[in-house]
Amino acid sequence: MFRGVYEHQIDSKGRTSFPSKMREILLASSEDKLIVTTALDACLHAYPLKEWEQLEQALGKRNPMELGVKTLMRLYIANAQECPLDRLGRILLPQALRSHARLEKEVLWVGMVRLIELWCKEGWQEAQREAREAVESASLLNVLAELRRS
């Protein structure tokens, strides 16, 4: 389970350190790579390989001509890149992915339970602002109440 927010730098080649706490979780499941793709927001999603494969298998059972499925495949699956960790615990983020999330000097690794989001600092601050404005939403409070019951 991934949690927390970790700020790291990106070098001129597009490499950034994978947070050590998250690396421990990944390595504990005998994995040394992430599948990174463009999110629907202005960030990236990074999945451990096993989680990604489960997503692909579930999507593969759907009708590829269904509008939502086709769009998800074009925006999410087609842009996915396998990104291995090097021996120093760094990951190379391809330029196309960095451009989507506006990652230039900094990256925020955000634990989202089964996946990780990668944000530029300004994008994350805006997402947090939007989330805080939605806190009053009854649907958010209902989800929290349901989670406490289960």
Side-chain angles (χ1 to χ4, degrees), residues 20-77:
S20 59
K21 293 238 184 228
M22 291 181 173
R23 191 175 331 135
E24 290 170 11
I25 295 165
L26 189 68
L27 295 174
S29 62
S30 302
E31 295 196 43
D32 64 351
K33 66 183 89 173
L34 295 169
I35 305 298
V36 183
T37 192
T38 55
L40 301 180
D41 294 313
C43 69
L44 301 177
H45 283 175
Y47 288 84
L49 182 60
K50 290 176 188 169
E51 289 288 336
W52 181 258
E53 288 172 341
Q54 289 175 358
L55 175 69
E56 283 182 328
Q57 288 172 0
L59 194 55
K61 294 176 183 173
R62 303 284 302 266
N63 177 353
M65 298 314 291
E66 183 182 337
L67 182 58
V69 173
K70 184 189 325 185
T71 302
L72 188 59
M73 287 184 174
R74 287 179 178 165
L75 296 177
Y76 209 64
I77 305 298

Side-chain angles (χ1 to χ4, degrees), residues 131-144:
R132 291 191 191 291
E133 289 172 4
V135 165
E136 299 301 320
S137 164
S139 62
L140 180 64
L141 297 174
N142 286 339
V143 169
L144 185 57

Side-chain angles (χ1 to χ4, degrees), residues 86-100:
D86 69 12
R87 60 181 175 78
L88 299 176
R90 298 175 303 184
I91 187 170
L92 173 64
L93 297 170
Q95 179 61 48
L97 295 178
R98 292 194 319 265
S99 294
H100 172 79

Side-chain angles (χ1 to χ4, degrees), residues 98-136:
R98 292 194 319 265
S99 294
H100 172 79
R102 301 176 317 217
L103 301 177
E104 295 175 5
K105 295 179 183 176
E106 301 172 299
V107 60
L108 275 71
W109 295 86
V110 180
M112 301 290 289
V113 183
R114 296 172 66 174
L115 70 115
I116 302 161
E117 291 185 337
L118 290 88
W119 289 88
C120 69
K121 195 171 201 172
E122 298 79 20
W124 175 246
Q125 290 169 344
E126 179 62 26
Q128 285 289 287
R129 222 177 350 268
E130 290 173 6
R132 291 191 191 291
E133 289 172 4
V135 165
E136 299 301 320

